[in-house]
Amino acid sequence: VATGMIVFWNLNNQKTIQGFSRPEKNDNKSLVFHINENQGINSDNFVIDAEENENVVIFNISFNQKIEYLPEGVGEKFPYLTEYYAFGSGVKALNSLNFKDLSKLENLNLIRNNIARINSEDFKFLRSLQFLKLSENKIAHISIDSFDPLTNLKTLFLKKNLIKTVNFKINLLSELHTLDMSDNQIVELPGDFLKNNKKLEVFYLNGNNIHTLSQTTFDGLSALRFLDLTGNSCLNAVYRKDKIVDIKEAIKSLCTLT
């Protein structure tokens, strides 16, 4: 990919969005895109118009506030992408076609956008994903099976969203080792929420309003070495590996039990 222009085509009205692209570090493996002034992607049917290039492994469209939707067709043009960055932009919705053909993608960073919900099929093509960062969005709803395809996921960041009810599951994420759900509005954590996350090592749940827990919520998490529950209604403490065994009694004494 040479320094130059990238074009996004709108399939409905033939509108084009142009921007300046350049490879990072002069290695032609990292592509950074900056949208031209006074233009924006404001509908969900833009496709990227570029030559297929198997050398590009990093795609970065961060800090583009006028990008409200991610382009489609990125995986078709850059099928060997391992890293995709779109943080600090204006993205407000996702769909599965944003990530089609990105079977090798390992790192997806969507921090600090305007995403309001995660739907069932948004991540269905991302079987190799290991790091998913969704912090500092406006997410209030996550479909129950949104994360099911991500069986290789190791890190999931959901910090600083608007999650009140944990009605999604992560039981298929058997490789998960870091989970950050801090600074939301969560009041209750389902008793079976972590039942299959045996490799979980670090869990941030601080800055919520949790008052209801099951005594079995943290059972079987033999790898857990750090649990932050500060700033919650019933538990306000950090539990490190040698103290996690005490949490069951603390839940019984201080929380409403499920």
Short mmCIF file of all heavy atoms in Angstrom, two decimals, residues 159-218:
data_model
loop_
_atom_site.label_atom_id
_atom_site.label_comp_id
_atom_site.label_asym_id
_atom_site.label_seq_id
_atom_site.Cartn_x
_atom_site.Cartn_y
_atom_site.Cartn_z
N LYS A 159 -15.24 -1.53 29.93
CA LYS A 159 -15.20 -0.46 30.92
C LYS A 159 -15.91 0.81 30.43
O LYS A 159 -15.88 1.14 29.25
CB LYS A 159 -13.74 -0.14 31.25
CG LYS A 159 -13.53 0.96 32.26
CD LYS A 159 -12.04 1.18 32.52
CE LYS A 159 -11.81 2.27 33.55
NZ LYS A 159 -10.37 2.44 33.86
N LYS A 160 -16.55 1.51 31.37
CA LYS A 160 -17.16 2.82 31.10
C LYS A 160 -18.17 2.76 29.96
O LYS A 160 -18.05 3.48 28.95
CB LYS A 160 -16.09 3.87 30.83
CG LYS A 160 -15.30 4.26 32.06
CD LYS A 160 -14.37 5.45 31.80
CE LYS A 160 -13.63 5.84 33.08
NZ LYS A 160 -12.71 6.98 32.86
N ASN A 161 -19.17 1.89 30.14
CA ASN A 161 -20.32 1.87 29.26
C ASN A 161 -21.57 2.13 30.09
O ASN A 161 -21.49 2.71 31.17
CB ASN A 161 -20.37 0.55 28.49
CG ASN A 161 -19.44 0.56 27.29
OD1 ASN A 161 -19.71 1.21 26.29
ND2 ASN A 161 -18.32 -0.16 27.38
N LEU A 162 -22.71 1.71 29.59
CA LEU A 162 -23.99 1.97 30.27
C LEU A 162 -24.70 0.66 30.59
O LEU A 162 -25.93 0.60 30.61
CB LEU A 162 -24.88 2.86 29.39
CG LEU A 162 -24.28 4.21 28.98
CD1 LEU A 162 -25.21 4.92 27.99
CD2 LEU A 162 -24.04 5.08 30.20
N ILE A 163 -23.93 -0.38 30.87
CA ILE A 163 -24.50 -1.71 31.13
C ILE A 163 -25.12 -1.75 32.52
O ILE A 163 -24.46 -1.48 33.51
CB ILE A 163 -23.41 -2.80 31.01
CG1 ILE A 163 -22.78 -2.75 29.61
CG2 ILE A 163 -24.00 -4.17 31.29
CD1 ILE A 163 -21.52 -3.58 29.50
N LYS A 164 -26.40 -2.08 32.56
CA LYS A 164 -27.11 -2.23 33.84
C LYS A 164 -27.38 -3.70 34.14
O LYS A 164 -27.22 -4.15 35.27
CB LYS A 164 -28.43 -1.46 33.80
CG LYS A 164 -28.29 0.04 33.72
CD LYS A 164 -29.66 0.72 33.74
CE LYS A 164 -29.53 2.24 33.66
NZ LYS A 164 -30.84 2.91 33.66
N THR A 165 -27.81 -4.43 33.12
CA THR A 165 -28.17 -5.83 33.28
C THR A 165 -27.21 -6.71 32.50
O THR A 165 -26.99 -6.49 31.30
CB THR A 165 -29.60 -6.07 32.77
OG1 THR A 165 -30.50 -5.20 33.47
CG2 THR A 165 -30.01 -7.52 33.00
N VAL A 166 -26.64 -7.68 33.17
CA VAL A 166 -25.72 -8.61 32.51
C VAL A 166 -26.55 -9.78 31.97
O VAL A 166 -26.72 -10.81 32.61
CB VAL A 166 -24.64 -9.11 33.48
CG1 VAL A 166 -23.68 -10.08 32.78
CG2 VAL A 166 -23.86 -7.93 34.05
N ASN A 167 -27.08 -9.57 30.76
CA ASN A 167 -27.90 -10.61 30.13
C ASN A 167 -27.17 -11.28 28.98
O ASN A 167 -27.77 -11.99 28.18
CB ASN A 167 -29.23 -10.03 29.65
CG ASN A 167 -29.05 -8.78 28.80
OD1 ASN A 167 -27.93 -8.48 28.39
ND2 ASN A 167 -30.13 -8.07 28.53
N PHE A 168 -25.88 -11.06 28.88
CA PHE A 168 -25.07 -11.74 27.89
C PHE A 168 -24.21 -12.79 28.60
O PHE A 168 -24.07 -12.77 29.82
CB PHE A 168 -24.16 -10.74 27.16
CG PHE A 168 -23.24 -9.96 28.05
CD1 PHE A 168 -21.95 -10.40 28.32
CD2 PHE A 168 -23.66 -8.76 28.62
CE1 PHE A 168 -21.10 -9.68 29.15
CE2 PHE A 168 -22.82 -8.02 29.44
CZ PHE A 168 -21.54 -8.49 29.72
N LYS A 169 -23.69 -13.72 27.82
CA LYS A 169 -22.89 -14.79 28.44
C LYS A 169 -21.48 -14.82 27.84
O LYS A 169 -21.26 -14.41 26.71
CB LYS A 169 -23.57 -16.14 28.29
CG LYS A 169 -23.95 -16.57 26.89
CD LYS A 169 -24.78 -17.84 26.91
CE LYS A 169 -25.27 -18.24 25.54
NZ LYS A 169 -24.21 -18.76 24.66
N ILE A 170 -20.57 -15.33 28.65
CA ILE A 170 -19.18 -15.47 28.20
C ILE A 170 -18.67 -16.89 28.45
O ILE A 170 -17.48 -17.13 28.49
CB ILE A 170 -18.26 -14.45 28.91
CG1 ILE A 170 -18.30 -14.65 30.43
CG2 ILE A 170 -18.64 -13.02 28.55
CD1 ILE A 170 -17.24 -13.84 31.17
N ASN A 171 -19.60 -17.82 28.61
CA ASN A 171 -19.23 -19.18 29.02
C ASN A 171 -18.46 -19.95 27.95
O ASN A 171 -17.82 -20.96 28.25
CB ASN A 171 -20.46 -19.97 29.45
CG ASN A 171 -21.47 -20.12 28.34
OD1 ASN A 171 -21.98 -19.13 27.81
ND2 ASN A 171 -21.79 -21.34 27.98
N LEU A 172 -18.49 -19.48 26.70
CA LEU A 172 -17.71 -20.14 25.65
C LEU A 172 -16.30 -19.57 25.51
O LEU A 172 -15.49 -20.06 24.72
CB LEU A 172 -18.43 -20.04 24.30
CG LEU A 172 -19.79 -20.74 24.20
CD1 LEU A 172 -20.34 -20.64 22.78
CD2 LEU A 172 -19.70 -22.20 24.63
N LEU A 173 -15.99 -18.54 26.31
CA LEU A 173 -14.68 -17.90 26.23
C LEU A 173 -13.72 -18.59 27.19
O LEU A 173 -13.26 -18.03 28.18
CB LEU A 173 -14.80 -16.41 26.55
CG LEU A 173 -15.87 -15.62 25.78
CD1 LEU A 173 -15.78 -14.14 26.12
CD2 LEU A 173 -15.75 -15.85 24.29
N SER A 174 -13.36 -19.80 26.87
CA SER A 174 -12.56 -20.63 27.78
C SER A 174 -11.12 -20.15 27.90
O SER A 174 -10.41 -20.55 28.83
CB SER A 174 -12.59 -22.09 27.32
OG SER A 174 -12.08 -22.21 26.00
N GLU A 175 -10.65 -19.30 26.98
CA GLU A 175 -9.28 -18.79 27.02
C GLU A 175 -9.19 -17.42 27.70
O GLU A 175 -8.09 -16.88 27.85
CB GLU A 175 -8.72 -18.67 25.60
CG GLU A 175 -8.64 -19.98 24.84
CD GLU A 175 -7.73 -20.99 25.53
OE1 GLU A 175 -6.64 -20.59 25.97
OE2 GLU A 175 -8.12 -22.17 25.64
N LEU A 176 -10.30 -16.88 28.14
CA LEU A 176 -10.32 -15.53 28.70
C LEU A 176 -9.48 -15.43 29.97
O LEU A 176 -9.65 -16.22 30.90
CB LEU A 176 -11.76 -15.13 29.00
CG LEU A 176 -12.02 -13.64 29.31
CD1 LEU A 176 -11.78 -12.80 28.07
CD2 LEU A 176 -13.44 -13.44 29.83
N HIS A 177 -8.57 -14.44 30.01
CA HIS A 177 -7.77 -14.26 31.23
C HIS A 177 -7.93 -12.88 31.84
O HIS A 177 -7.62 -12.68 33.02
CB HIS A 177 -6.29 -14.59 31.01
CG HIS A 177 -5.57 -13.68 30.06
ND1 HIS A 177 -5.34 -12.34 30.30
CD2 HIS A 177 -4.99 -13.94 28.86
CE1 HIS A 177 -4.67 -11.81 29.30
NE2 HIS A 177 -4.45 -12.75 28.40
N THR A 178 -8.42 -11.88 31.08
CA THR A 178 -8.64 -10.54 31.64
C THR A 178 -10.01 -10.04 31.20
O THR A 178 -10.31 -10.00 30.00
CB THR A 178 -7.56 -9.56 31.16
OG1 THR A 178 -6.27 -10.03 31.57
CG2 THR A 178 -7.79 -8.18 31.77
N LEU A 179 -10.81 -9.62 32.19
CA LEU A 179 -12.16 -9.12 31.93
C LEU A 179 -12.34 -7.82 32.70
O LEU A 179 -12.16 -7.77 33.92
CB LEU A 179 -13.20 -10.15 32.37
CG LEU A 179 -14.68 -9.75 32.27
CD1 LEU A 179 -15.05 -9.42 30.83
CD2 LEU A 179 -15.57 -10.87 32.81
N ASP A 180 -12.68 -6.75 31.99
CA ASP A 180 -12.89 -5.45 32.62
C ASP A 180 -14.31 -4.98 32.34
O ASP A 180 -14.66 -4.64 31.21
CB ASP A 180 -11.89 -4.43 32.09
CG ASP A 180 -11.88 -3.13 32.89
OD1 ASP A 180 -12.84 -2.90 33.66
OD2 ASP A 180 -10.93 -2.34 32.75
N MET A 181 -15.13 -4.99 33.38
CA MET A 181 -16.51 -4.51 33.30
C MET A 181 -16.72 -3.35 34.29
O MET A 181 -17.83 -3.09 34.73
CB MET A 181 -17.48 -5.65 33.59
CG MET A 181 -17.45 -6.74 32.54
SD MET A 181 -18.34 -8.27 33.01
CE MET A 181 -19.97 -7.63 33.37
N SER A 182 -15.67 -2.65 34.62
CA SER A 182 -15.72 -1.59 35.62
C SER A 182 -16.46 -0.36 35.09
O SER A 182 -16.61 -0.16 33.88
CB SER A 182 -14.31 -1.20 36.04
OG SER A 182 -13.55 -0.72 34.94
N ASP A 183 -16.92 0.45 36.04
CA ASP A 183 -17.53 1.75 35.74
C ASP A 183 -18.70 1.65 34.78
O ASP A 183 -18.81 2.40 33.81
CB ASP A 183 -16.47 2.71 35.19
CG ASP A 183 -15.37 2.99 36.19
OD1 ASP A 183 -15.68 3.24 37.36
OD2 ASP A 183 -14.18 2.93 35.81
N ASN A 184 -19.58 0.69 35.07
CA ASN A 184 -20.87 0.60 34.40
C ASN A 184 -21.95 0.89 35.44
O ASN A 184 -21.71 1.62 36.40
CB ASN A 184 -21.03 -0.78 33.75
CG ASN A 184 -20.32 -0.87 32.42
OD1 ASN A 184 -20.82 -0.44 31.40
ND2 ASN A 184 -19.12 -1.45 32.42
N GLN A 185 -23.13 0.31 35.27
CA GLN A 185 -24.23 0.52 36.21
C GLN A 185 -24.81 -0.82 36.66
O GLN A 185 -25.99 -0.94 36.96
CB GLN A 185 -25.31 1.38 35.55
CG GLN A 185 -24.81 2.73 35.07
CD GLN A 185 -25.80 3.45 34.17
OE1 GLN A 185 -27.00 3.17 34.17
NE2 GLN A 185 -25.30 4.39 33.38
N ILE A 186 -23.95 -1.82 36.74
CA ILE A 186 -24.38 -3.19 37.02
C ILE A 186 -24.81 -3.34 38.47
O ILE A 186 -24.11 -2.89 39.38
CB ILE A 186 -23.23 -4.17 36.71
CG1 ILE A 186 -22.84 -4.07 35.23
CG2 ILE A 186 -23.62 -5.61 37.05
CD1 ILE A 186 -21.52 -4.74 34.89
N VAL A 187 -25.97 -3.95 38.69
CA VAL A 187 -26.48 -4.15 40.05
C VAL A 187 -26.42 -5.61 40.48
O VAL A 187 -26.45 -5.91 41.68
CB VAL A 187 -27.92 -3.62 40.20
CG1 VAL A 187 -27.98 -2.13 39.96
CG2 VAL A 187 -28.87 -4.35 39.25
N GLU A 188 -26.32 -6.52 39.52
CA GLU A 188 -26.35 -7.94 39.85
C GLU A 188 -25.53 -8.72 38.83
O GLU A 188 -25.57 -8.43 37.64
CB GLU A 188 -27.79 -8.45 39.86
CG GLU A 188 -27.93 -9.93 40.15
CD GLU A 188 -29.39 -10.39 40.18
OE1 GLU A 188 -30.27 -9.51 40.12
OE2 GLU A 188 -29.63 -11.61 40.23
N LEU A 189 -24.80 -9.71 39.30
CA LEU A 189 -24.03 -10.58 38.43
C LEU A 189 -24.61 -11.99 38.54
O LEU A 189 -24.70 -12.54 39.64
CB LEU A 189 -22.56 -10.58 38.83
CG LEU A 189 -21.56 -11.09 37.79
CD1 LEU A 189 -21.53 -10.14 36.59
CD2 LEU A 189 -20.17 -11.21 38.40
N PRO A 190 -25.03 -12.59 37.43
CA PRO A 190 -25.59 -13.94 37.48
C PRO A 190 -24.64 -14.95 38.12
O PRO A 190 -23.42 -14.89 37.92
CB PRO A 190 -25.84 -14.28 36.01
CG PRO A 190 -25.96 -12.95 35.32
CD PRO A 190 -25.03 -12.04 36.06
N GLY A 191 -25.19 -15.87 38.87
CA GLY A 191 -24.37 -16.84 39.59
C GLY A 191 -23.55 -17.74 38.70
O GLY A 191 -22.48 -18.21 39.10
N ASP A 192 -24.01 -17.98 37.47
CA ASP A 192 -23.29 -18.87 36.55
C ASP A 192 -22.51 -18.11 35.49
O ASP A 192 -22.05 -18.69 34.51
CB ASP A 192 -24.28 -19.83 35.89
CG ASP A 192 -25.35 -19.11 35.06
OD1 ASP A 192 -25.43 -17.86 35.14
OD2 ASP A 192 -26.10 -19.79 34.34
N PHE A 193 -22.35 -16.81 35.66
CA PHE A 193 -21.73 -15.96 34.63
C PHE A 193 -20.32 -16.42 34.29
O PHE A 193 -19.90 -16.39 33.14
CB PHE A 193 -21.72 -14.51 35.10
CG PHE A 193 -21.18 -13.53 34.09
CD1 PHE A 193 -21.83 -13.34 32.88
CD2 PHE A 193 -20.03 -12.81 34.36
CE1 PHE A 193 -21.34 -12.44 31.95
CE2 PHE A 193 -19.53 -11.90 33.43
CZ PHE A 193 -20.19 -11.71 32.23
N LEU A 194 -19.55 -16.87 35.28
CA LEU A 194 -18.14 -17.21 35.08
C LEU A 194 -17.88 -18.71 35.16
O LEU A 194 -16.74 -19.14 35.34
CB LEU A 194 -17.29 -16.52 36.15
CG LEU A 194 -17.39 -14.99 36.21
CD1 LEU A 194 -16.74 -14.46 37.48
CD2 LEU A 194 -16.75 -14.35 34.99
N LYS A 195 -18.90 -19.51 34.97
CA LYS A 195 -18.78 -20.94 35.28
C LYS A 195 -17.78 -21.70 34.42
O LYS A 195 -17.26 -22.73 34.84
CB LYS A 195 -20.15 -21.62 35.20
CG LYS A 195 -20.76 -21.67 33.81
CD LYS A 195 -22.09 -22.42 33.83
CE LYS A 195 -22.71 -22.53 32.44
NZ LYS A 195 -24.00 -23.25 32.47
N ASN A 196 -17.50 -21.21 33.21
CA ASN A 196 -16.56 -21.92 32.33
C ASN A 196 -15.28 -21.14 32.05
O ASN A 196 -14.52 -21.51 31.16
CB ASN A 196 -17.23 -22.26 31.00
CG ASN A 196 -18.33 -23.28 31.16
OD1 ASN A 196 -18.22 -24.19 31.99
ND2 ASN A 196 -19.40 -23.13 30.40
N ASN A 197 -15.05 -20.10 32.81
CA ASN A 197 -13.88 -19.25 32.56
C ASN A 197 -12.74 -19.61 33.52
O ASN A 197 -12.28 -18.80 34.32
CB ASN A 197 -14.26 -17.78 32.69
CG ASN A 197 -15.42 -17.40 31.80
OD1 ASN A 197 -16.51 -17.12 32.27
ND2 ASN A 197 -15.19 -17.41 30.49
N LYS A 198 -12.27 -20.83 33.39
CA LYS A 198 -11.29 -21.39 34.33
C LYS A 198 -9.93 -20.72 34.25
O LYS A 198 -9.14 -20.82 35.19
CB LYS A 198 -11.13 -22.90 34.08
CG LYS A 198 -12.43 -23.68 34.05
CD LYS A 198 -13.20 -23.56 35.36
CE LYS A 198 -14.46 -24.43 35.33
NZ LYS A 198 -15.28 -24.25 36.55
N LYS A 199 -9.65 -20.02 33.15
CA LYS A 199 -8.35 -19.37 33.00
C LYS A 199 -8.38 -17.90 33.37
O LYS A 199 -7.36 -17.20 33.25
CB LYS A 199 -7.85 -19.53 31.57
CG LYS A 199 -7.56 -20.98 31.17
CD LYS A 199 -6.97 -21.08 29.77
CE LYS A 199 -6.68 -22.53 29.40
NZ LYS A 199 -6.09 -22.63 28.03
N LEU A 200 -9.52 -17.42 33.85
CA LEU A 200 -9.63 -16.00 34.20
C LEU A 200 -8.68 -15.66 35.34
O LEU A 200 -8.71 -16.28 36.40
CB LEU A 200 -11.07 -15.67 34.60
CG LEU A 200 -11.37 -14.18 34.81
CD1 LEU A 200 -11.26 -13.42 33.49
CD2 LEU A 200 -12.75 -13.98 35.42
N GLU A 201 -7.83 -14.66 35.11
CA GLU A 201 -6.84 -14.24 36.10
C GLU A 201 -7.16 -12.89 36.72
O GLU A 201 -6.89 -12.67 37.90
CB GLU A 201 -5.45 -14.19 35.46
CG GLU A 201 -4.93 -15.52 34.95
CD GLU A 201 -3.54 -15.39 34.37
OE1 GLU A 201 -2.88 -14.36 34.63
OE2 GLU A 201 -3.11 -16.31 33.65
N VAL A 202 -7.70 -11.99 35.92
CA VAL A 202 -7.93 -10.61 36.37
C VAL A 202 -9.35 -10.19 36.00
O VAL A 202 -9.76 -10.32 34.84
CB VAL A 202 -6.91 -9.65 35.71
CG1 VAL A 202 -7.18 -8.21 36.15
CG2 VAL A 202 -5.48 -10.06 36.05
N PHE A 203 -10.09 -9.68 37.00
CA PHE A 203 -11.48 -9.28 36.78
C PHE A 203 -11.72 -7.95 37.48
O PHE A 203 -11.63 -7.84 38.70
CB PHE A 203 -12.42 -10.36 37.34
CG PHE A 203 -13.88 -10.14 37.02
CD1 PHE A 203 -14.30 -9.25 36.05
CD2 PHE A 203 -14.85 -10.85 37.72
CE1 PHE A 203 -15.64 -9.07 35.76
CE2 PHE A 203 -16.20 -10.68 37.45
CZ PHE A 203 -16.59 -9.79 36.47
N TYR A 204 -12.02 -6.92 36.67
CA TYR A 204 -12.36 -5.60 37.20
C TYR A 204 -13.87 -5.42 37.16
O TYR A 204 -14.48 -5.43 36.09
CB TYR A 204 -11.70 -4.50 36.36
CG TYR A 204 -10.20 -4.49 36.41
CD1 TYR A 204 -9.45 -5.13 35.43
CD2 TYR A 204 -9.52 -3.82 37.43
CE1 TYR A 204 -8.06 -5.12 35.47
CE2 TYR A 204 -8.14 -3.80 37.48
CZ TYR A 204 -7.42 -4.45 36.49
OH TYR A 204 -6.03 -4.43 36.53
N LEU A 205 -14.46 -5.26 38.34
CA LEU A 205 -15.90 -5.05 38.45
C LEU A 205 -16.19 -3.82 39.31
O LEU A 205 -17.30 -3.60 39.77
CB LEU A 205 -16.54 -6.30 39.05
CG LEU A 205 -18.04 -6.54 38.83
CD1 LEU A 205 -18.39 -6.53 37.36
CD2 LEU A 205 -18.45 -7.87 39.46
N ASN A 206 -15.15 -3.04 39.53
CA ASN A 206 -15.26 -1.86 40.38
C ASN A 206 -16.09 -0.76 39.72
O ASN A 206 -16.29 -0.76 38.51
CB ASN A 206 -13.86 -1.32 40.70
CG ASN A 206 -13.00 -1.14 39.46
OD1 ASN A 206 -12.62 -2.12 38.81
ND2 ASN A 206 -12.67 0.10 39.13
N GLY A 207 -16.58 0.16 40.54
CA GLY A 207 -17.31 1.30 40.02
C GLY A 207 -18.68 0.98 39.48
O GLY A 207 -19.21 1.71 38.63
N ASN A 208 -19.29 -0.12 39.97
CA ASN A 208 -20.66 -0.44 39.61
C ASN A 208 -21.56 -0.21 40.83
O ASN A 208 -21.19 0.51 41.76
CB ASN A 208 -20.74 -1.88 39.11
CG ASN A 208 -20.22 -2.01 37.68
OD1 ASN A 208 -20.86 -1.60 36.73
ND2 ASN A 208 -19.01 -2.57 37.54
N ASN A 209 -22.72 -0.82 40.84
CA ASN A 209 -23.64 -0.66 41.96
C ASN A 209 -24.17 -2.02 42.40
O ASN A 209 -25.36 -2.20 42.68
CB ASN A 209 -24.80 0.26 41.56
CG ASN A 209 -25.66 0.67 42.74
OD1 ASN A 209 -25.18 0.77 43.87
ND2 ASN A 209 -26.94 0.90 42.49
N ILE A 210 -23.27 -2.99 42.43
CA ILE A 210 -23.67 -4.37 42.71
C ILE A 210 -24.13 -4.53 44.16
O ILE A 210 -23.42 -4.17 45.10
CB ILE A 210 -22.52 -5.34 42.41
CG1 ILE A 210 -22.24 -5.34 40.91
CG2 ILE A 210 -22.84 -6.76 42.90
CD1 ILE A 210 -21.05 -6.14 40.51
N HIS A 211 -25.33 -5.07 44.31
CA HIS A 211 -25.85 -5.39 45.65
C HIS A 211 -26.32 -6.83 45.75
O HIS A 211 -26.62 -7.31 46.84
CB HIS A 211 -26.98 -4.44 46.03
CG HIS A 211 -28.13 -4.38 45.06
ND1 HIS A 211 -29.00 -5.43 44.85
CD2 HIS A 211 -28.53 -3.39 44.23
CE1 HIS A 211 -29.89 -5.09 43.94
NE2 HIS A 211 -29.64 -3.85 43.55
N THR A 212 -26.39 -7.53 44.61
CA THR A 212 -26.88 -8.91 44.60
C THR A 212 -25.86 -9.83 43.95
O THR A 212 -25.43 -9.59 42.82
CB THR A 212 -28.22 -9.00 43.85
OG1 THR A 212 -29.17 -8.14 44.47
CG2 THR A 212 -28.75 -10.43 43.86
N LEU A 213 -25.47 -10.87 44.69
CA LEU A 213 -24.52 -11.85 44.18
C LEU A 213 -24.87 -13.23 44.70
O LEU A 213 -25.53 -13.37 45.72
CB LEU A 213 -23.09 -11.50 44.63
CG LEU A 213 -22.32 -10.41 43.88
CD1 LEU A 213 -21.02 -10.10 44.61
CD2 LEU A 213 -22.04 -10.81 42.44
N SER A 214 -24.40 -14.23 43.99
CA SER A 214 -24.50 -15.60 44.47
C SER A 214 -23.20 -15.98 45.15
O SER A 214 -22.12 -15.54 44.74
CB SER A 214 -24.78 -16.55 43.31
OG SER A 214 -24.59 -17.89 43.71
N GLN A 215 -23.28 -16.81 46.17
CA GLN A 215 -22.06 -17.27 46.84
C GLN A 215 -21.20 -18.13 45.91
O GLN A 215 -20.01 -18.33 46.18
CB GLN A 215 -22.41 -18.06 48.09
CG GLN A 215 -22.83 -17.19 49.27
CD GLN A 215 -23.00 -18.01 50.53
OE1 GLN A 215 -24.03 -18.66 50.74
NE2 GLN A 215 -21.97 -17.99 51.37
N THR A 216 -21.79 -18.63 44.84
CA THR A 216 -21.05 -19.50 43.92
C THR A 216 -20.49 -18.75 42.71
O THR A 216 -19.86 -19.36 41.85
CB THR A 216 -21.96 -20.63 43.41
OG1 THR A 216 -23.06 -20.07 42.68
CG2 THR A 216 -22.49 -21.45 44.57
N THR A 217 -20.70 -17.44 42.64
CA THR A 217 -20.29 -16.67 41.47
C THR A 217 -18.83 -16.87 41.11
O THR A 217 -18.46 -16.98 39.94
CB THR A 217 -20.56 -15.17 41.68
OG1 THR A 217 -21.97 -14.97 41.85
CG2 THR A 217 -20.09 -14.35 40.49
N PHE A 218 -17.95 -16.92 42.12
CA PHE A 218 -16.52 -17.00 41.87
C PHE A 218 -15.94 -18.39 42.14
O PHE A 218 -14.72 -18.55 42.19
CB PHE A 218 -15.80 -15.94 42.71
CG PHE A 218 -16.32 -14.54 42.46
CD1 PHE A 218 -17.15 -13.92 43.38
CD2 PHE A 218 -15.99 -13.86 41.30
CE1 PHE A 218 -17.64 -12.63 43.15
CE2 PHE A 218 -16.47 -12.58 41.06
CZ PHE A 218 -17.30 -11.97 41.99
#
